[in-house]
Amino acid sequence: MKRRRIVVIILLIFTLVTAGAAIYIGFKLQGGGDTAPDTSEAAPAGSRYLGPGCNGQCDSGSQCNGYGNSLLPGEMVSCYLVSGSTYGCYAEAANSGGNSCYLRCSPYGWAACNCDLSGCQTRCAAEHAGQTGTFTRVETCGQYNGGGCGQSFMCSCTLTATPPPTTPPVTPPPTTPPVTQPPGCPYTNVDTQFWVQCPGEPSSGCGLGFWGNGGNVTTYLNNNNITVPNDLDINCFASGGQNGIMNDAYVELRINGNLVNTYNTPSPRNINLVGLASPGSTIQATCISSGFPSDPQCRNADSFTLASNPPTSTPVPSNTPTPTPTVTPSPTPSPTPRPTATPTPTPPNTPTPSPTPLPTITPSPTPTPPVCGQPCDPNGPSCADINNVCVEDTPGSYICVLDVCNENPGACNPDQCSLIDEIYVEKSSVEVCEPDASESLVTYTIVIRNPQPNARTIDAIDTHAQTIPAEYLVEGSINPSSGVFSDGVITWTNLALPANDSITLTYQLLIPESAFGEYTNTVVIEEGGEVRGQDTHLVNVDCLPPTALISENSDRLIIGVMLILTGFMLYRFGIYNHFGEAFWKIGGKYLLNGILPEYKEKYQAEQKVKDQKNADKQNEKIRSKFEERMKDSLE
């Protein structure tokens, strides 16, 4: 009886716990919904979406550093949850708090970011000493003051011209005509050169060891199996510049033809390509005079190619004979002693037969798509950048150029890979599916950046290749609201683009399931009717149907109630007794005997009682039969 009571109590507790857990889970799911994000991972108010590029793991904010030049002064990049399990890169105020630095992985909060804004502004001013205007600088949090999370942030500095001394002006004689400086580039022999793998300021014997061209760097990286260098320095050399440097130059850095950064200095230092480039990538730097950006004499580009992953070693065949030196007898008449350590020479053409190793099959390398400015095959792989096109340069020779340069060569520089007075534009998108996969909300973001020190007025025209009905556009989503939608084209006119700064345009499309597929659109930036920038973007709109077994709140409540009723019936009608007895007979007592030592004596005592009862029953049967036989014999 005591044993049965214990089993009943255990089953009752298990039933109540299960029912309570079911009710708790049901109400939690009812209140939380199917795809409610973790608010601790959601982007804080006031942040600005930049695009995809991070996975939400520890310190993943630094994975967004590629958007460093899309920041505004005082902003840093961070990684936050967009929707479901999709993370994205955002811009927020540097050291703004939240989980921006150590997402879900550290309790230190924003203080660990160490974004040295004041120090960045000081370095910005020193970098542009002697210049006039507003300049920006991109650094990483903790770069100069230790610690930090390695995320990019931007600062700015405004420099004003030093007033001239108050000495009276010297008036030239009226008979002397003023000397007019001839227009044009004041530099000659502009040369872009590199130094790699030398932390700090380049010095002799460190890394490459000298300022070299792209060919020198390519050879050095291949000889040393350096696939992606973590320290790249660039100098813009020129005759006529201060100390041989084109002091008003800025540097554009491209990887496989795509612009990744612009440095407002003629001497960028300590550029880490890890995370930006991959083995085999082509790195190109272009030095451009900010005073004469369109003059070919005032710009120069050079590039180098990163080493590919080292190939697997090929075994050397073992049957290659090693020539044995010929033994020349001594000319002396005395007998030549037999050498004791020299084996009998083997004839060089008769090696000892040995198994011939199977040749190693080396797979054919996958052709690397060419970047802008490189030769291409019109029938081979297309150009690496979707904004490039393979065109005939000379009879029988083809080269990748910007498609806008192919259509309007006069709008481009001689290299046909950059626009005159170029304005940088980048378009991205993020897709969020409805829970039932019936619709997809696509948010488009256009970031437009002005690299010049003067403000500009532009028009932005965003055109979709596919037909976009007006009902797909989310009402009120166009930002700025001055944008006009017509036949799948959104046009913003007379937008103010500040000097050395950027603006962001956004809009949303709600696409039904019947129209899922690829959507290609191109945004063109015009200034005074001339094309200054262009970017083409492709997104595949597709939502998977929901797979949850329980997707309705009512279903969860019904299951919780059913579990409670089941537990009540098990207790009310004593069904738990049958389950408990069956469990005990089938093997529960043996299981408890092996797991819990305190049950061993109890089990042994019960087994003795059971054996005694069986013996008593057997004796009773024998006695009964004996008595029956005796009775029969007496009758």
Side-chain angles (χ1 to χ4, degrees):
M1 178 61 72
K2 186 176 180 181
R3 179 189 62 200
R4 182 173 300 176
R5 185 174 301 169
I6 292 174
V7 173
V8 169
I9 293 174
I10 292 174
L11 289 175
L12 179 59
I13 293 174
F14 174 76
T15 303
L16 292 176
V17 171
T18 304
I23 297 174
Y24 175 78
I25 293 171
F27 278 105
K28 289 294 288 184
L29 293 175
Q30 180 187 20
D34 287 333
T35 57
D38 183 351
T39 55
S40 65
E41 301 179 39
S47 58
R48 181 164 54 87
Y49 180 76
L50 299 176
C54 62
N55 57 20
Q57 301 300 316
C58 297
D59 302 338
S60 56
S62 59
Q63 296 173 350
C64 301
N65 284 348
Y67 294 99
N69 282 286
S70 299
L71 297 171
L72 300 178
E75 287 185 336
M76 70 177 179
V77 294
S78 298
C79 180
Y80 288 111
L81 186 68
V82 177
S83 66
S85 59
T86 302
Y87 290 83
C89 296
Y90 288 80
E92 63 173 333
N95 289 343
S96 63
N99 298 313
S100 55
C101 278
Y102 297 93
L103 182 61
R104 298 184 301 142
C105 302
S106 174
Y108 299 123
W110 65 263
C113 287
N114 286 338
C115 303
D116 187 10
L117 282 171
S118 60
C120 177
Q121 293 166 353
T122 301
R123 287 183 284 272
C124 175
E127 184 178 66
H128 298 281
Q131 303 180 41
T132 302
T134 299
F135 306 93
T136 59
R137 178 181 174 87
V138 177
E139 292 186 357
T140 55
C141 301
Q143 177 180 0
Y144 291 94
N145 52 354
C149 50
Q151 295 170 229
S152 290
F153 73 97
M154 179 178 284
C155 69
S156 65
C157 58
T158 302
L159 305 179
T160 57
T162 304
T166 57
T167 55
V170 178
T171 305
T175 57
T176 305
V179 178
T180 304
Q181 185 72 17
C185 178
Y187 307 104
T188 58
N189 303 320
V190 177
D191 189 13
T192 305
Q193 294 197 11
F194 308 98
W195 198 312
V196 294
Q197 299 305 91
C198 186
E201 190 65 22
S203 58
S204 178
C206 178
L208 179 63
F210 59 90
W211 287 106
N213 58 31
N216 300 137
V217 177
T218 299
T219 302
Y220 172 79
L221 296 178
N222 279 280
N223 290 343
N224 292 275
N225 278 332
I226 301 174
T227 54
V228 181
N230 57 12
D231 194 293
L232 168 65
D233 301 319
I234 304 171
N235 258 5
C236 297
F237 293 102
S239 300
Q242 184 178 1
N243 298 323
I245 298 294
M246 187 165 59
N247 51 288
D248 69 339
Y250 62 93
V251 178
E252 293 180 348
L253 183 66
R254 284 180 164 84
I255 298 178
N256 293 332
N258 300 314
L259 182 69
V260 297
N261 212 337
T262 300
Y263 303 93
N264 295 318
T265 172
S267 304
R269 292 291 184 266
N270 307 124
I271 302 171
N272 189 355
L273 297 178
V274 177
L276 297 177
S278 56
S281 297
T282 298
I283 311 300
Q284 176 181 311
T286 306
C287 291
I288 306 171
S289 168
S290 59
F292 302 88
S294 303
D295 192 332
Q297 184 177 326
C298 262
R299 59 190 297 140
N300 174 261
D302 199 357
S303 62
F304 58 90
T305 303
L306 302 182
S308 301
N309 288 320
T312 56
S313 59
T314 303
V316 179
S318 60
N319 62 341
T320 303
T322 302
T324 305
T326 305
V327 179
T328 304
S330 173
T332 58
S334 60
T336 303
R338 177 180 298 177
T340 59
T342 303
T344 303
T346 304
N349 294 324
T350 56
T352 303
S354 61
T356 302
L358 295 176
T360 302
I361 300 176
T362 304
S364 301
T366 304
T368 302
V371 299
C372 192
Q374 291 185 343
C376 58
D377 182 357
N379 301 317
S382 59
C383 299
D385 192 340
I386 193 174
N387 295 292
N388 296 165
V389 62
C390 185
V391 299
E392 190 171 23
D393 183 32
T394 58
S397 175
Y398 293 83
I399 191 172
C400 285
V401 300
L402 284 176
D403 52 2
V404 65
C405 296
N406 182 46
E407 298 168 1
N408 186 9
C412 299
N413 291 306
D415 60 5
Q416 297 294 290
C417 289
S418 59
L419 295 165
I420 297 175
D421 294 332
E422 185 173 7
I423 295 174
Y424 305 129
V425 57
E426 182 178 5
K427 182 159 189 179
S428 59
S429 65
V430 60
E431 178 187 4
V432 178
C433 296
E434 291 295 321
D436 58 357
S438 61
E439 292 178 316
S440 176
L441 180 65
V442 183
T443 302
Y444 289 96
T445 302
I446 305 168
V447 178
I448 306 170
R449 190 169 63 84
N450 177 16
Q452 295 189 6
N454 54 285
R456 307 165 77 171
T457 301
I458 61 170
D459 300 332
I461 303 96
D462 188 273
T463 305
H464 280 263
Q466 293 76 16
T467 302
I468 304 295
E471 56 266 24
Y472 286 8
L473 179 68
V474 177
E475 185 177 357
S477 67
I478 297 180
N479 183 38
S481 58
S482 59
V484 177
F485 178 85
S486 177
D487 296 331
V489 179
I490 302 178
T491 305
W492 289 271
T493 57
N494 297 323
L495 293 172
L497 184 59
N500 291 312
D501 210 340
S502 63
I503 60 174
T504 301
L505 316 177
T506 59
Y507 64 92
Q508 293 178 319
L509 299 179
L510 188 61
I511 301 176
E513 182 181 9
S514 58
F516 284 176
E518 290 187 349
Y519 284 79
T520 304
N521 66 315
T522 301
V523 57
V524 176
I525 308 301
E526 294 183 354
E527 182 184 34
E530 294 292 335
V531 177
R532 299 301 188 204
Q534 176 178 310
D535 189 27
T536 299
H537 180 69
L538 171 66
V539 58
N540 184 23
V541 180
D542 187 20
C543 296
L544 297 175
T547 58
L549 297 177
I550 305 174
S551 59
E552 297 295 334
N553 294 333
S554 57
D555 293 345
R556 299 170 185 142
L557 291 176
I558 291 174
I559 291 177
V561 172
M562 290 177 61
L563 286 173
I564 294 175
L565 293 177
T566 301
F568 176 77
M569 293 177 65
L570 288 173
Y571 178 75
R572 177 64 181 83
F573 296 103
I575 301 175
Y576 62 88
N577 285 327
H578 300 288
F579 285 121
E581 189 68 25
F583 168 76
W584 186 261
K585 289 183 177 180
I586 290 174
K589 53 189 176 183
Y590 305 109
L591 179 63
L592 291 176
N593 177 38
I595 297 176
L596 302 176
E598 57 265 27
Y599 276 87
K600 185 174 183 180
E601 294 182 0
K602 180 180 178 181
Y603 169 73
Q604 292 175 346
E606 289 183 352
Q607 192 65 31
K608 289 181 179 180
V609 172
K610 183 178 179 181
D611 293 343
Q612 185 62 44
K613 288 183 178 180
N614 290 336
D616 293 343
K617 288 181 180 180
Q618 190 66 23
N619 292 333
E620 183 65 27
K621 289 181 180 180
I622 295 173
R623 187 170 54 254
S624 298
K625 289 183 179 180
F626 177 76
E627 291 178 351
E628 288 178 0
R629 289 179 181 176
M630 289 294 295
K631 185 178 179 181
D632 291 340
S633 63
L634 292 175
E635 292 178 351

